[in-house]
Amino acid sequence: MIKNLSGEYETIEYENQRFIMLYDNIENEPYPMHWHNAIEIIIPLENGFTVETRENKYHLNEKDIIIIPPGELHYLHAQEGRRIIFQCNNSVISDSPALESLLPVFSSVVQITPQLDKDLYVISKKSMLDIYSAYYSKSPTADVKIYVYLINLLTALRDFQLEQYKEQLAVNSKSQEYNEKFNLVLNYLNKNYMEDISLDQLASLAGYSKYHFSRIFKQYNSMSYIQYINAKRIKMAERLLMDSNLPITEVAMRSGFSSLATFNRTFKEIKHCTPTDFQKLYISTGKTEI
């Protein structure tokens, strides 16, 4: 049962100022279509489990792992069994410049199985079981350990994605060149995402044609350059909306949007609610989780 649901939005109440929640879940009841701003990871311990999004249905066997990105609408089916449901405030990743390279992991739902990649699966399963043990321990460093285990899992997944990217390119001799150039592009975007950035600028910075740049950027980051820029801008808008004294138009401009209409449309696409509704939710709950 979801405790705090407003429409399709779930407010997560982290206990005792922690940045994470973990449920040892045995409930045989459905969780309706909902979304939240937390990273969610589920691993069935006994029997399988089914997770459904707007577009796909994911059937998990025992010890399979699914990572649900922040903002993703999802439905949990009623099933007998036992599973770990882990939720983490996404700001611990998104607000850290050192972890910018992990953000592409959250571009879509990821299901990790032994068939996908044995090494990735072993690391991911161990990380989740270590998180479980640390969560219920009485160690004063439990949350630090959980953070380390989570970063270890996400780093292994991102490394796997990059290896897949290299194989898709089928030009391993150029992989180092691509890494260097796209790291340069990402650093530029992270510093200038609030400015008016054109495809011509980015392609020129990387030294590629517009078509080649667009194709390789999406392969490298699992999202288009527009999606990457908008994700950064919406994250900034979230922070600004928490200051209720700022009008929506000013939030849009400060976040890098040239028009209020574009801001409203993009915000709703990513957050599944309007900027005004987001601000009202924050004020009414008094919580920084959203």
Side-chain angles (χ1 to χ4, degrees):
M1 175 176 161
I2 299 177
K3 293 181 181 178
N4 303 294
L5 194 64
S6 176
E8 293 179 327
Y9 174 74
E10 178 190 5
T11 300
I12 297 175
E13 295 182 356
Y14 297 104
E15 297 178 344
N16 302 322
Q17 304 301 312
R18 301 181 89 172
F19 68 94
I20 41 90
M21 286 288 292
L22 188 145
Y23 302 93
D24 191 338
N25 180 273
I26 57 171
E27 296 176 357
N28 185 12
E29 63 178 15
Y31 289 70
M33 191 67 78
H34 66 287
W35 69 277
H36 42 66
N37 203 35
I39 301 161
E40 183 164 334
I41 306 177
I42 301 173
I43 175 171
L45 300 179
E46 297 174 8
N47 296 330
F49 197 59
T50 301
V51 177
E52 191 169 352
T53 65
R54 290 283 195 195
E55 299 178 351
N56 297 298
K57 185 179 286 188
Y58 301 87
H59 299 286
L60 282 70
N61 296 319
E62 282 189 12
K63 307 300 192 332
D64 284 355
I65 297 154
I66 190 167
I67 300 176
I68 304 169
E72 181 77 36
L73 280 164
H74 57 288
Y75 172 90
L76 307 183
H77 286 240
Q79 288 176 258
E80 292 184 357
R82 179 186 172 207
R83 75 284 310 181
I84 295 171
I85 300 177
F86 172 77
Q87 295 173 324
C88 169
N89 191 320
N90 86 88
S91 65
V92 301
I93 306 295
S94 62
D95 289 354
S96 174
L99 302 178
E100 291 278 0
S101 61
L102 296 181
L103 293 181
V105 164
F106 306 115
S107 61
S108 61
V109 175
V110 178
Q111 183 175 354
I112 302 173
T113 67
Q115 293 73 35
L116 178 67
D117 185 82
K118 185 176 179 180
D119 292 338
L120 172 62
Y121 173 74
V122 169
I123 292 172
S124 300
K125 183 176 72 171
K126 184 178 186 305
S127 296
M128 287 305 300
L129 296 178
D130 285 341
I131 285 172
Y132 179 89
S133 297
Y135 187 86
Y136 289 108
S137 75
K138 296 182 179 180
S139 169
T141 60
D143 283 10
V144 177
K145 292 176 181 176
I146 290 171
Y147 183 77
V148 172
Y149 299 143
L150 176 63
I151 298 303
N152 187 51
L153 189 163
L154 298 177
T155 300
L157 175 55
R158 185 56 185 149
D159 285 342
F160 169 76
Q161 290 176 336
L162 289 172
E163 285 301 317
Q164 293 293 104
Y165 149 76
K166 290 178 183 178
E167 291 177 10
Q168 289 172 5
L169 287 179
V171 284
N172 289 334
S173 61
K174 286 195 170 185
S175 61
Q176 184 61 35
E177 173 192 331
Y178 283 130
N179 286 336
E180 291 175 358
K181 290 192 174 183
F182 279 95
N183 283 337
L184 179 66
V185 169
L186 292 180
N187 286 334
Y188 178 82
L189 287 176
N190 293 338
K191 293 177 182 178
N192 300 284
Y193 63 89
M194 289 180 285
E195 306 298 327
D196 184 15
I197 302 173
S198 70
L199 174 57
D200 286 327
Q201 284 176 279
L202 297 177
S204 177
L205 181 64
Y208 300 127
S209 69
K210 290 188 291 185
Y211 170 78
H212 189 63
F213 172 82
S214 297
R215 182 172 62 86
I216 301 303
F217 188 97
K218 190 166 186 177
Q219 288 180 334
Y220 188 86
N221 293 284
S222 303
M223 65 178 75
S224 71
Y225 76 96
I226 289 293
Q227 289 173 317
Y228 188 92
I229 292 172
N230 283 340
K232 296 289 293 182
R233 288 174 174 172
I234 293 303
K235 177 55 66 175
M236 171 58 75
E238 288 180 50
R239 299 190 189 102
L240 295 175
L241 286 167
M242 291 175 187
D243 180 352
S244 59
N245 295 320
L246 287 176
I248 300 297
T249 302
E250 186 173 349
V251 171
M253 298 302 116
R254 286 195 191 184
S255 302
F257 290 93
S258 58
S259 75
L260 183 59
T262 301
F263 172 58
N264 285 333
R265 184 182 69 253
T266 305
F267 195 96
K268 191 165 186 178
E269 286 175 355
I270 293 177
K271 301 299 297 182
H272 307 290
C273 65
T274 67
T276 301
D277 288 340
F278 181 93
Q279 196 172 53
K280 287 178 180 177
L281 279 168
Y282 173 75
I283 294 170
S284 65
T285 60
K287 294 178 174 64
T288 58
E289 189 276 324
I290 65 172

